[in-house]
Amino acid sequence: MTIRGDKKDQNFYVIGLSYEKADAETRGKFTFFPDKVSDFVKDAKQNGLANFFVVSTCNRTEMYGFAPSAECMIEQYCRFTEGDIEEFRNFVNIQEGKKAVEHLFRVSSGLESQILGDFDIIGQIKIWFTRFKKEGTTNAFLERLINTSIQISKRIKNETLLSNGSASVAFSAVNFILDSQKDLASKNILLYGVGKIGRNTCENLVKHSEGSQITLINRTREKAEILGNKYEVIVKDHADLLEELQKTDILIVATGASKHTITEEMIPMDKSMTIIDMSVPENVVHTLGSRDNIHLVNVDGLSKMVDETLNTRKEAIPLAESIISELMDEFAEWLKTREFVPYIQSFKSRLQFIQDNEIHNLRKDNLSVDENELLLTKKMIQRITNQFASYLLENRDHAEDTYELMQKMFRLKEA
């Protein structure tokens, strides 16, 4: 599968890092935040990159796109993160062409998720792709790529047991609490941050820890109130955070900020607490974990605490991979047709030029042109173009020779 960009010297790559090689602290340094998209796009275009998008989640951060080399993408990406480029190179995963396409399809399917079968990733991919699409960095190839990724995700979810059972980071957090805490009904639980992970965690908490004292705090109170009303839990102002921490037994942090939102001085030295940090980059300063009276767990720790449903999910891997293989073949066939688009467009443009020139001459001689006849000639041009396209597709091995002949006959422009 040969994949060229709109510029002939560019190939399709994915560069990035994930939980497989980099721990949560390292991934946090290279997290890409949505507010950087616009500036990133402007800078990338100035550096010759036109078609690309970034996906950044708690488990992976990757850039997909066309570039002269993977190194160009690495340099471009690292300029907009907090991490050092040399450290990035130590952990980076690079795929090119067909392997890059297959990698995205596997990520979209949940096969590459830190918790096997976690389908939250496809929603994140769609959101991130839309952000870059609004900035004008997509093209026909990337659009088709994402649409196929969505199709793969849907089919695997509907036709396999890869997502069977409850095994997500949010569920693992609640599972950990249930397994490690005695007399949960007497504990004060504070959930700080109500983004998607926070909302999922709140739902699981309410469902599985009946009778517990749950309090929500979010920087924007209105969002917390919506969740609080839905699940009938307490909501406090962000200004009350320090006061609430004084009486918290279990703290769940899902703030998703670029800096620490829970620091040493916020927790009294004599305070005993279980802290679950679900954010990447880590939003709880890791030195808190060195205290004897604090048990700190991050997303990597949670991902190791999944339930036995993973065994069932593993049995679904071959079927999931067969679906990916099937749609990989369809994508490859579509891609082959794209190879001849410049030839076909050049041929059609020449026919339209001949038509427009003849009509101009008729009108110059004061001869009327029947609109029905004009419509007929347009249909004829499309039919002839379709015949040309079909011949190229059916005779791929001779496509270059065919186009060269048509160039001489019709004086076509270079494709």
Side-chain angles (χ1 to χ4, degrees), residues 63-240:
M63 180 178 178
Y64 295 84
F66 291 93
S69 68
E71 183 62 25
C72 290
M73 289 175 63
I74 291 171
E75 291 174 0
Q76 176 62 46
Y77 181 77
C78 287
R79 278 201 296 276
F80 284 78
T81 69
E82 299 297 323
D84 177 74
I85 191 169
E86 290 303 323
E87 185 177 13
F88 188 84
R89 290 191 181 105
N90 290 334
F91 296 100
V92 69
N93 172 47
I94 301 172
Q95 302 287 350
E96 180 180 359
K98 179 181 178 181
K99 289 185 177 180
V101 170
E102 185 175 11
H103 175 76
L104 178 60
F105 290 169
R106 290 182 64 87
V107 168
S108 304
S109 71
L111 284 174
E112 300 297 328
S113 296
Q114 192 166 17
I115 297 176
L116 180 65
D118 187 348
F119 278 92
D120 284 347
I121 185 64
I122 189 62
Q124 293 289 338
I125 289 172
K126 287 192 284 188
I127 290 169
W128 278 102
F129 183 77
T130 300
R131 288 173 179 147
F132 280 85
K133 183 176 181 177
K134 288 178 180 178
E135 298 290 335
T137 69
T138 64
N139 60 7
F141 174 87
L142 294 179
E143 292 276 358
R144 181 80 178 210
L145 185 70
I146 292 299
N147 288 336
T148 304
S149 297
I150 294 169
Q151 188 181 356
I152 285 171
S153 177
K154 287 180 179 177
R155 283 194 55 184
I156 289 177
K157 194 169 186 177
N158 294 332
E159 299 175 24
T160 77
L161 295 176
L162 193 67
S163 62
N164 182 59
S166 298
S168 65
V169 173
F171 184 82
S172 297
V174 177
N175 238 14
F176 169 67
I177 292 171
L178 295 173
D179 291 343
S180 63
Q181 301 292 322
K182 296 179 180 179
D183 192 20
L184 194 58
S186 67
K187 302 293 175 66
N188 292 318
I189 303 174
L190 173 60
L191 174 57
Y192 181 28
V194 295
K196 184 173 182 179
I197 291 178
R199 293 194 300 272
N200 290 343
T201 304
C202 183
E203 179 183 358
N204 281 296
L205 271 174
V206 172
K207 189 184 298 182
H208 298 286
S209 59
E210 188 176 349
S212 298
Q213 177 85 6
I214 302 172
T215 301
L216 305 180
I217 291 182
N218 193 60
R219 189 167 293 278
T220 306
R221 182 186 172 98
E222 289 77 10
K223 292 181 179 179
E225 283 182 336
I226 293 171
L227 197 63
N229 292 333
K230 181 177 180 180
Y231 294 112
E232 299 181 345
V233 296
I234 300 167
V235 176
K236 294 283 187 176
D237 287 332
H238 191 265
D240 297 326

Side-chain angles (χ1 to χ4, degrees), residues 276-287:
I276 302 173
D277 186 1
M278 306 181 73
S279 305
V280 174
E282 293 170 309
N283 282 185
V284 178
V285 64
H286 68 272
T287 51

